[in-house]
Amino acid sequence: MKKIVIAIDGFSSTGKSTIAKQLAKTLNYIYVDTGAMYRAVAYFALENKFISEDVFDKEALISRLGDISITFKFNEAVGFAEVYLNGKNIEADIRTLRISKFVSPIATLSEVRRKLVEQQQLMGKDKGVVMDGRDIGTVVFPDAELKIFMTASAETRAKRRYNELLDRGDQLSYEDVLENVTTRDHIDSTREDSPLVRADDALEIDNSNLTIKEQLERLIGLAEELISK
Ligand code: DC
């Protein structure tokens, strides 16, 4: 059967990964969470003290990029692939507000982007992939057959992320989460290399008032129509 590439881009916490994961499962496609890859680099940078509240040693991080190996391994128990940094499962460690704070500056570095984009293109070269991120439809797979651009109000997104972090047991305030979401939107949309923009041929979905089921049904319909063409 014909396979396609599905690119899902959009602002932070728009629920891209929830939809992408379920879409991939339904179509029996591979799901790639590219945000997890940038988060893994941020984790490495924090661990090695290349970035902190007062330091951002870009040169030191860039010189060590060769020491970073990011892989995904499917976990049957949770039903999706978890991210590993140099063989260590860091899936839970990268979902903190601390990583969210440092990941956007890390993602501005062209050297980091080049390395990760190359790996992403390899992962999708045989198609049959659902990839979510910020530059999938514009840079990683500009020829993707189906491109989605997800949006929702900053407040809606912050509320969703806040509840997720609370469920994990993190201690934080809604205001901190809202501030992180809006700061990340700004850095991601205004950076020089591969800024977050809607590809001309992407379908924009504002999901502020849509349920996951509604979004999924719509995307499955679109994907199946393209696959059967
Ligand atoms: O999707 P996420 O929130 O896990 O992504 C974390 C950060 O990584 C996001 O703020 C910007 C960056 N990112 C990127 O620049 N390009 C991508 N394709 C994916 C994520």
Side-chain angles (χ1 to χ4, degrees):
M1 210 206 289
K2 179 179 154 191
K3 284 183 173 175
I4 63 170
V5 171
I6 302 175
I8 304 187
D9 290 304
F11 294 99
S12 304
S13 307
T14 36
K16 299 184 295 293
S17 65
T18 307
I19 295 299
K21 263 182 213 161
Q22 296 191 22
L23 184 61
K25 198 170 171 189
T26 310
L27 299 172
N28 209 7
Y29 274 22
I30 294 166
Y31 162 61
V32 181
D33 174 356
T34 65
M37 299 170 76
Y38 289 91
R39 287 172 181 269
V41 177
Y43 179 89
F44 178 88
L46 273 164
E47 243 194 350
N48 287 282
K49 306 201 170 18
F50 298 143
I51 197 164
S52 67
E53 261 78 11
D54 2 83
V55 177
F56 186 13
D57 191 345
K58 299 174 189 171
E59 284 69 34
L61 171 61
I62 291 164
S63 74
R64 293 283 307 281
L65 286 181
D67 297 335
I68 298 180
S69 162
I70 300 167
T71 47
F72 288 95
K73 210 160 101 190
F74 194 79
N75 179 344
E76 292 282 351
V78 293
F80 66 91
E82 295 182 320
V83 68
Y84 285 69
L85 172 68
N86 296 333
K88 180 185 169 201
N89 185 333
I90 54 161
E91 183 62 39
D93 303 297
I94 59 164
R95 306 292 168 194
T96 62
L97 192 58
R98 181 163 167 75
I99 294 285
S100 297
K101 268 188 186 147
F102 290 109
V103 66
S104 283
I106 298 281
T108 62
L109 300 178
S110 294
E111 291 81 357
V112 171
R113 305 203 68 84
R114 226 174 293 139
K115 177 184 166 86
L116 300 189
V117 167
E118 197 179 305
Q119 189 179 346
Q120 291 153 11
Q121 288 172 335
L122 265 179
M123 289 192 279
K125 75 175 183 357
D126 297 327
K127 304 202 176 197
V129 69
V130 182
M131 204 171 274
D132 78 15
R134 304 292 187 288
D135 60 343
I136 311 306
T138 50
V139 175
V140 184
F141 286 109
D143 296 328
E145 287 83 355
L146 178 57
K147 297 184 187 177
I148 306 296
F149 190 81
M150 301 263 239
T151 63
S153 74
E155 289 73 19
T156 304
R157 293 184 283 125
K159 226 173 277 163
R160 289 180 190 154
R161 183 48 66 100
Y162 174 65
N163 288 334
E164 253 172 50
L165 293 167
L166 272 194
D167 282 349
R168 282 172 37 123
D170 289 4
Q171 301 275 328
L172 37 82
S173 71
Y174 166 75
E175 286 69 29
D176 283 348
V177 179
L178 179 63
E179 140 80 14
N180 174 254
V181 162
T182 50
T183 305
R184 272 205 294 150
D185 286 351
H186 179 72
I187 301 176
D188 295 346
S189 318
T190 55
R191 69 179 172 228
E192 239 165 75
D193 190 344
S194 320
L196 167 64
V197 282
R198 183 176 71 82
D200 292 336
D201 51 350
L203 172 72
E204 183 162 332
I205 298 182
D206 181 333
N207 66 17
S208 304
N209 298 308
L210 291 176
T211 64
I212 290 172
K213 189 164 172 272
E214 285 166 337
Q215 295 171 65
L216 196 60
E217 277 171 4
R218 181 145 180 226
L219 294 195
I220 291 171
L222 288 168
E224 283 178 343
E225 197 182 318
L226 286 164
I227 291 167
S228 66
K229 249 191 199 161

